Amino acid sequence: MIQSGRATLTVSSSETDPSVVTDLLGLEPTRVTKAGTLRKSGRVADHHTWSVDTGELSNTIDDQTGSHALRALVALIQPALGRLPYLPPDCEPRIWWSAYSDSVQGGFVLPADLAASIGTLGVDVYGTVHLDDPEDPMSDAAAGTSGGSDG
């Protein structure tokens, strides 16, 4: 089952300055990257990125669905409800959701009320479930093996 997760609303744009996104949505971003910025990968950003991020959030006793971070993001961006359609045409809003499982199946629940709330925002959700714990000393990656045989 999902144990924790992280969710981000990102608006990418080719021309619209991130400050315009801030003004239109009425939200302060947690991160802004302008086109032309050198990324950690060594590549130069070819577009602007404006983001509001929850940071990593663990499940709560009341919510064991694995969707805690996604629910927290939806609550965080509620002031922008109804404003996203008014972003300029070069702006592309997306919700990114990463979840971390304690099993190899990575099952989660997307409660109907949360799905409905996301639907009112009109933004697609791009999700990833991470099945391996990279800090687990027994995992293949931490042990330096690929899981295959040597010969």
Side-chain angles (χ1 to χ4, degrees), residues 3-89:
Q3 298 299 304
S4 66
R6 173 181 212 131
T8 308
L9 170 66
T10 300
V11 178
S12 298
S13 64
S14 56
E15 298 175 18
T16 303
D17 190 270
S19 64
V20 173
V21 175
T22 299
D23 292 342
L24 286 170
L25 296 184
L27 295 172
E28 285 299 319
T30 53
R31 183 176 183 174
V32 168
T33 304
K34 291 200 168 197
T37 302
L38 185 63
R39 296 187 181 269
K40 291 178 187 178
S41 66
R43 293 185 286 166
V44 176
D46 61 354
H47 59 277
H48 302 298
T49 306
W50 177 102
S51 300
V52 172
D53 185 87
T54 63
E56 187 170 343
L57 298 174
S58 295
N59 287 351
T60 65
I61 290 175
D62 294 334
D63 183 2
Q64 294 292 308
T65 66
S67 59
H68 179 67
L70 193 53
R71 188 177 296 280
L73 179 68
V74 169
L76 188 64
I77 62 177
Q78 276 302 304
L81 184 64
R83 297 179 181 186
L84 288 163
Y86 297 106
L87 289 170

Side-chain angles (χ1 to χ4, degrees), residues 101-104 131-145:
S101 175
D102 66 348
S103 72
V104 295
L131 301 178
D132 292 333
D133 181 358
E135 296 178 3
D136 181 355
M138 298 307 291
S139 74
D140 288 344
T145 64

